[in-house]
Amino acid sequence: MNIGITCYPTYGGSGVVATELGKSLAERGHHVHFITYALPMRLTGAGHEDAPYLDNIFYHEVEMSTYPLFEFPLYSMALTSAMVEVARFEKLDLIHAHYAIPHATAAVLAKQILQRDIKIVTTLHGTDITLVGLEPSFEPLMKFSIESSDAVTAVSKFLRDETIDNYGVEKEIDVIPNFIDTDTFRPIDSKNLKRLLAPNGEKLLVHTSNFREVKRVTDAIRALKIILDRGVRAKLLLIGDGPDRGECQALARELGIWQQTRFLGKQSELASLLSASDVFLIPSGNESFGLSALEAMACGIPVLSSDVGGLPELNLDGETGFVVPVGDVEALAERTMELLLDRDLYAHMAAAAYRRATEDFDKERIVPRYEALYERVLHPQPAMSYELVTPA
Ligand code: GMT
């Protein structure tokens, strides 16, 4: 198939999922055209080590007009034009838009301009539905973009239900969860790294995110304070960067636990850092899936998550970790200690987290579901008709 993919290339999990999907589809023989304003973060060195640059992956940069009259950048228009051009010249069969606004909207418009039967597949990721689209001015645009797509997927049941409840869409929405490349995210022998990070045998808690308010990173820091106050030797690794990082650093100083927190910034060797850690904390106030938690599980560490959105669908309470009420820092600390201090429970949950990630969310299992969906929209089966046979 000739597939166009549009996503946010530089920030967040939706771009990661879109890029990994494109790479995986290319490995399966499809021609994949990324149409974005910058090279997607994970597209560098696409493919496996033995095929670093696949020759069936293409990158088309969306060029922005700088005409002075356009005081506000016309990104959606530029994206639509790029989609039209690429679809025409590369004879795309379909465009897969990740994150509804403006990607699905631009794709639907491009289809109208092209006036041919190109298919539009839209994947809903999270705040496109739970935040952005709910702004009253965006609501009709969101409903239109979803209903005009040929197929729509959501990354969790929670997100599918939210979409139906919030926008009253009539459209069928397939739940296709996020996935993981288990060649990259796997338990890695990180004893040396662990010795460096925890020289006195401290337990290592880890959190990775883009440090936005919705991630509630300060809850993880407050939980660490409780854990330390109860006499457990522990450290918290904070990986990533974003608007709340400064506030988090100030809080760690204010609580007197600066020495026990390590702000590591954006890291590329995530799998090693996750493997060196003991538990993953994701206390989000809103999370449609929680890709970062899945990455941790694939590295063999259990998860402490809040109970919002799609998190309880991924992190099974009492099995792959614990799920606590959002904002309940005391419960977060209690459950983390319970897990860290019970060797058997820890071993059981770590193994279960790894099993769940690799058995249920491996890309080899999930990517074929996208392929099947593409086949279905490109070659819809005629509805079966039954003739009523009356006995003679
Ligand atoms: O919606 C966002 O906040 C951005 C988006 C992104 O691009 O990272 O995150 C969402 O999509 C991810 C990939 O499907 C999910 O793993 C995240 O849970 C989801 N974030 C939220 O729902 C807050």
Side-chain angles (χ1 to χ4, degrees), residues 16 20 113 152 157 186 283 343:
V16 170
E20 294 296 342
I113 295 168
V152 180
K157 291 192 192 85
R186 63 191 162 85
R343 204 182 276 246

PDB file of all heavy atoms in Angstrom, residues 16 20 113 152 157 186 283 343:
ATOM      1  N   VAL A  16       5.284   9.600  18.429  1.00  0.00           N
ATOM      2  CA  VAL A  16       6.091   8.390  18.581  1.00  0.00           C
ATOM      3  C   VAL A  16       5.340   7.193  17.984  1.00  0.00           C
ATOM      4  O   VAL A  16       5.888   6.417  17.193  1.00  0.00           O
ATOM      5  CB  VAL A  16       6.408   8.129  20.086  1.00  0.00           C
ATOM      6  CG1 VAL A  16       7.019   6.753  20.290  1.00  0.00           C
ATOM      7  CG2 VAL A  16       7.333   9.216  20.629  1.00  0.00           C
ATOM      8  N   GLU A  20       6.590   5.073  14.781  1.00  0.00           N
ATOM      9  CA  GLU A  20       6.892   3.633  14.917  1.00  0.00           C
ATOM     10  C   GLU A  20       5.971   2.816  14.001  1.00  0.00           C
ATOM     11  O   GLU A  20       6.393   1.817  13.425  1.00  0.00           O
ATOM     12  CB  GLU A  20       6.733   3.180  16.374  1.00  0.00           C
ATOM     13  CG  GLU A  20       7.753   3.791  17.338  1.00  0.00           C
ATOM     14  CD  GLU A  20       9.200   3.383  17.043  1.00  0.00           C
ATOM     15  OE1 GLU A  20       9.410   2.380  16.340  1.00  0.00           O
ATOM     16  OE2 GLU A  20      10.115   4.097  17.498  1.00  0.00           O
ATOM     17  N   ILE A 113     -10.483  18.099  -2.120  1.00  0.00           N
ATOM     18  CA  ILE A 113      -9.791  18.797  -3.216  1.00  0.00           C
ATOM     19  C   ILE A 113      -9.365  17.790  -4.289  1.00  0.00           C
ATOM     20  O   ILE A 113      -9.489  18.048  -5.487  1.00  0.00           O
ATOM     21  CB  ILE A 113      -8.559  19.567  -2.671  1.00  0.00           C
ATOM     22  CG1 ILE A 113      -9.026  20.677  -1.724  1.00  0.00           C
ATOM     23  CG2 ILE A 113      -7.713  20.134  -3.804  1.00  0.00           C
ATOM     24  CD1 ILE A 113      -7.925  21.321  -0.913  1.00  0.00           C
ATOM     25  N   VAL A 152     -11.992   5.407  11.905  1.00  0.00           N
ATOM     26  CA  VAL A 152     -11.467   6.122  13.073  1.00  0.00           C
ATOM     27  C   VAL A 152     -11.037   5.091  14.116  1.00  0.00           C
ATOM     28  O   VAL A 152     -11.736   4.106  14.359  1.00  0.00           O
ATOM     29  CB  VAL A 152     -12.550   7.052  13.682  1.00  0.00           C
ATOM     30  CG1 VAL A 152     -12.005   7.793  14.902  1.00  0.00           C
ATOM     31  CG2 VAL A 152     -13.040   8.053  12.640  1.00  0.00           C
ATOM     32  N   LYS A 157     -10.266   2.072  25.177  1.00  0.00           N
ATOM     33  CA  LYS A 157     -11.747   2.045  25.244  1.00  0.00           C
ATOM     34  C   LYS A 157     -12.234   3.346  25.855  1.00  0.00           C
ATOM     35  O   LYS A 157     -13.232   3.913  25.445  1.00  0.00           O
ATOM     36  CB  LYS A 157     -12.210   0.875  26.124  1.00  0.00           C
ATOM     37  CG  LYS A 157     -11.962  -0.476  25.521  1.00  0.00           C
ATOM     38  CD  LYS A 157     -12.715  -1.534  26.340  1.00  0.00           C
ATOM     39  CE  LYS A 157     -12.275  -2.929  25.967  1.00  0.00           C
ATOM     40  NZ  LYS A 157     -11.072  -3.396  26.665  1.00  0.00           N
ATOM     41  N   ARG A 186      13.237  -3.421  26.218  1.00  0.00           N
ATOM     42  CA  ARG A 186      13.371  -4.768  26.778  1.00  0.00           C
ATOM     43  C   ARG A 186      14.252  -4.646  28.009  1.00  0.00           C
ATOM     44  O   ARG A 186      14.986  -3.651  28.152  1.00  0.00           O
ATOM     45  CB  ARG A 186      14.001  -5.716  25.748  1.00  0.00           C
ATOM     46  CG  ARG A 186      15.389  -5.295  25.376  1.00  0.00           C
ATOM     47  CD  ARG A 186      15.939  -6.042  24.179  1.00  0.00           C
ATOM     48  NE  ARG A 186      17.071  -5.322  23.629  1.00  0.00           N
ATOM     49  CZ  ARG A 186      18.318  -5.436  24.059  1.00  0.00           C
ATOM     50  NH1 ARG A 186      18.593  -6.259  25.038  1.00  0.00           N
ATOM     51  NH2 ARG A 186      19.296  -4.721  23.528  1.00  0.00           N
ATOM     52  N   PRO A 283       1.409   9.468  37.736  1.00  0.00           N
ATOM     53  CA  PRO A 283       0.265   9.932  38.541  1.00  0.00           C
ATOM     54  C   PRO A 283      -0.686  10.873  37.791  1.00  0.00           C
ATOM     55  O   PRO A 283      -1.413  11.637  38.426  1.00  0.00           O
ATOM     56  CB  PRO A 283       0.971  10.680  39.687  1.00  0.00           C
ATOM     57  CG  PRO A 283       2.268  11.164  39.120  1.00  0.00           C
ATOM     58  CD  PRO A 283       2.631  10.286  37.947  1.00  0.00           C
ATOM     59  N   ARG A 343       9.521  -8.622  48.484  1.00  0.00           N
ATOM     60  CA  ARG A 343      10.318  -9.178  47.385  1.00  0.00           C
ATOM     61  C   ARG A 343       9.495 -10.075  46.446  1.00  0.00           C
ATOM     62  O   ARG A 343       9.595  -9.977  45.230  1.00  0.00           O
ATOM     63  CB  ARG A 343      11.456 -10.005  48.006  1.00  0.00           C
ATOM     64  CG  ARG A 343      12.651 -10.189  47.145  1.00  0.00           C
ATOM     65  CD  ARG A 343      13.642 -11.046  47.882  1.00  0.00           C
ATOM     66  NE  ARG A 343      14.449 -10.237  48.773  1.00  0.00           N
ATOM     67  CZ  ARG A 343      15.752 -10.071  48.607  1.00  0.00           C
ATOM     68  NH1 ARG A 343      16.352 -10.660  47.603  1.00  0.00           N
ATOM     69  NH2 ARG A 343      16.450  -9.346  49.440  1.00  0.00           N
TER      70      ARG A 343
END
